[in-house]
Amino acid sequence: MPRRWDIFCTVIDNFGDIGVCWRLSRQLSHEYGQTVRLWVNDLQRFARLEPTVKTNVSYQTIQGIEVCFWSNDIAVFEQIEPAEVVIEAFACQLPENYLRKMQQNDSTVWINLEYLSAEPWVKHYHAIPSPHPSSGLVKTCFFPGFVAGTGGLIREKNYPSQQDAFQRQAFLQRLDIPTNCPDSIYISLFCYDQAPLDSLIKHLAESTVPILLIVPDGKIAQRITQLLNYSHYEVGLQMQLQRLTIFIIPFLDQTDYDRLLCSCDINFVRGEDSFVRAQYAANSFIWNIYPQTDQAHWQKLDAFLDLYTLTMPSDMKNSVQQLWYYWNGRGEIDGKVLLHFFSLTESFKKYNKTWFEQLSKQQHLTSNLVQFVENQL
Ligand code: TRH
């Protein structure tokens, strides 16, 4: 049943909020024929991962989705009729006057799309309706997750076949990355400022295996350039340190970023969305979790490790845990740890394929959302 959806997204920092909302919007529209209006407060950020976004217009249609700039001027919402389904992404606050209009139609389905976590409590809190204190409307928290009983993960219907069909060699050549280095390890790098970048670069440079490190344009790429004492920074720059070759590539659109994850042997990913996509790419991955001031991220990290490594041989499990802890700021490693992780690359690929198959068995988030809405209306 085609419904009208309003998705509200505030970009707090980084790319994850709009990254998730954009994937959701596209899947709702393209695979479920839903009419989607996406409200986003930062078009510049959005344009980084979707270059067709115009940053100087308030309304535009992209790939069949109405994209609206959500400014501070709430008078705009006086003219707006709320949709049948309202998604408030990551507990962003709806405009007051929009909320008042929602009260006039008590069949509106109002959902707060939460952050992803592998913690066991998630399935107990998923999809529990609660009355909103001031409006009296019912709001439901939708928790994405990795197991049955949660909201699931965003996964396009044709994701595996899409990836099978793509041409790795042509893709890497398009990015000016050499493809004739069969003995080299291809690594992509996307991480937070807190990650021990200096030490990683040092270990990679000392590796006995040649390494091609691919870094999308951004703060991390700039820091590496400084670290290696290069006098200028630009996209396309290639740097050499012992057996390590570093390529600064453009910040890619989401589809190409997915391809990059499929093209590399090892992916350093972060946050939420790139972390999930690395799992779909099924190559080795190292997660830099979004750091929280109360250290709550450690619980989240451990919860995911428990689930992900459940059936992993102990050698691989220890290697993942040691490396992920180090990468998130707990403990140092010596070069041998990294080399050992590299030596397990093929085993990780095999294990991660099974992990992906397991994830694919659960209903995906968009399908769960559509089903939930149909049950309400
Ligand atoms: O950017 P992030 O750090 O986002 C984070 C997390 O979502 C976190 O949970 C949230 O609290 C915080 O934002 C505010 O990392 P994440 O989630 O991986 O999102 C990055 C997005 O950017 C993802 O959709 C992939 C996309 N991307 C590209 O499209 N091209 C690129 O070149 C790169 C490096 C990323």
Side-chain angles (χ1 to χ4, degrees):
M1 180 88 186
R3 305 271 182 203
R4 287 177 300 111
W5 298 60
D6 268 336
I7 300 180
F8 285 87
C9 173
T10 45
V11 174
I12 301 169
D13 55 2
N14 305 323
F15 302 96
D17 303 301
I18 186 60
V20 168
C21 290
W22 184 230
R23 286 201 202 273
L24 174 64
S25 302
R26 282 191 291 168
Q27 199 180 9
L28 279 170
S29 167
H30 302 168
E31 292 181 21
Y32 289 86
Q34 307 293 301
T35 305
V36 182
R37 194 160 53 176
L38 171 61
W39 296 90
V40 55
N41 70 340
D42 186 341
L43 292 173
Q44 264 82 15
R45 191 73 58 126
F46 188 8
R48 296 289 305 277
L49 49 88
E50 180 46 64
T52 58
V53 169
K54 294 190 194 83
T55 54
N56 57 352
V57 296
S58 299
Y59 301 94
Q60 56 195 309
T61 301
I62 303 171
Q63 297 180 28
I65 294 137
E66 201 182 334
V67 173
C68 311
F69 176 53
W70 182 7
S71 72
N72 291 330
D73 175 16
I74 67 163
V76 166
F77 290 97
E78 296 298 339
Q79 319 301 325
I80 300 293
E81 206 44 53
E84 294 163 279
V85 189
V86 178
I87 305 265
E88 171 185 284
F90 313 115
C92 67
Q93 297 290 311
L94 296 180
E96 274 167 41
N97 47 356
Y98 181 92
L99 188 59
R100 269 198 302 279
K101 284 195 169 189
M102 275 167 67
Q103 282 172 285
Q104 290 158 18
N105 180 0
D106 59 9
S107 67
T108 305
V109 182
W110 183 11
I111 295 165
N112 174 30
L113 179 62
E114 284 287 347
Y115 285 110
L116 171 66
S117 173
E119 288 162 291
W121 56 261
V122 164
K123 56 176 179 288
H124 305 299
Y125 286 84
H126 168 62
I128 308 277
S130 60
H132 181 250
S134 59
S135 69
L137 291 167
V138 172
K139 175 155 82 168
T140 304
C141 284
F142 222 81
F143 282 92
F146 300 90
V147 295
T150 67
L153 302 168
I154 295 179
R155 193 186 64 248
E156 297 80 6
K157 268 187 199 151
N158 57 354
Y159 183 78
S161 52
Q162 236 175 34
Q163 297 312 326
D164 293 346
F166 109 93
Q167 301 288 318
R168 177 180 183 270
Q169 193 167 341
F171 172 70
L172 289 174
Q173 278 168 357
R174 175 148 65 82
L175 295 175
D176 284 333
I177 312 280
T179 51
N180 54 347
C181 318
D183 299 326
S184 302
I185 299 178
Y186 287 71
I187 303 180
S188 80
L189 177 65
F190 182 45
C191 65
Y192 293 115
D193 295 346
Q194 293 88 341
L197 187 66
D198 306 18
S199 123
L200 179 78
I201 296 293
K202 179 177 155 286
H203 289 314
L204 291 178
E206 286 166 359
S207 158
T208 47
V209 191
I211 299 203
L212 274 68
L213 182 68
I214 305 168
V215 194
D217 177 31
K219 275 197 261 173
I220 295 299
Q222 286 170 18
R223 254 181 66 196
I224 296 177
T225 313
Q226 286 160 5
L227 204 67
L228 269 63
N229 293 321
Y230 274 70
S231 55
H232 76 290
Y233 171 83
E234 65 179 358
V235 170
L237 188 64
Q238 188 179 322
M239 297 174 276
Q240 192 73 41
L241 186 64
Q242 290 152 254
R243 305 202 79 184
L244 169 67
T245 316
I246 302 167
F247 298 86
I248 310 295
I249 60 162
F251 194 92
L252 302 171
D253 67 43
Q254 266 186 335
T255 309
D256 271 353
Y257 183 65
D258 288 347
R259 292 187 176 122
L260 179 70
L261 297 176
C262 292
S263 304
C264 291
D265 302 299
I266 299 170
N267 295 303
F268 284 77
V269 285
R270 74 183 202 190
E272 187 166 312
D273 191 56
S274 57
F275 166 56
V276 170
R277 303 315 275 199
Q279 292 170 58
Y280 294 174
N283 295 320
S284 293
F285 62 99
I286 297 164
W287 185 27
N288 193 194
I289 190 168
Y290 185 77
Q292 288 169 265
T293 38
D294 57 2
Q295 302 296 307
H297 58 284
W298 281 107
Q299 247 162 306
K300 269 181 141 186
L301 186 107
D302 283 336
F304 180 77
L305 276 175
D306 286 349
L307 208 62
Y308 167 59
T309 63
L310 195 64
T311 55
M312 218 177 237
S314 58
D315 184 27
M316 286 167 71
K317 190 171 169 163
N318 294 338
S319 176
V320 171
Q321 200 202 38
Q322 201 176 3
L323 209 52
W324 286 28
Y325 269 35
Y326 148 75
W327 192 234
N328 286 285
R330 250 188 212 171
E332 239 307 329
I333 54 160
D334 63 28
K336 285 192 205 121
V337 174
L338 213 53
L339 274 184
H340 185 58
F341 185 81
F342 292 168
S343 72
L344 295 169
T345 299
E346 287 312 310
S347 310
F348 274 116
K349 283 187 186 173
K350 216 165 136 209
Y351 185 88
N352 288 341
K353 276 214 169 75
T354 315
W355 172 250
F356 174 65
E357 277 159 21
Q358 194 180 315
L359 292 178
S360 309
K361 281 188 195 134
Q362 63 165 348
Q363 268 307 342
H364 58 81
L365 186 119
T366 310
S367 148
N368 285 332
L369 267 174
V370 170
Q371 191 58 57
F372 175 82
V373 166
E374 286 314 308
N375 294 343
Q376 305 294 307
L377 286 168

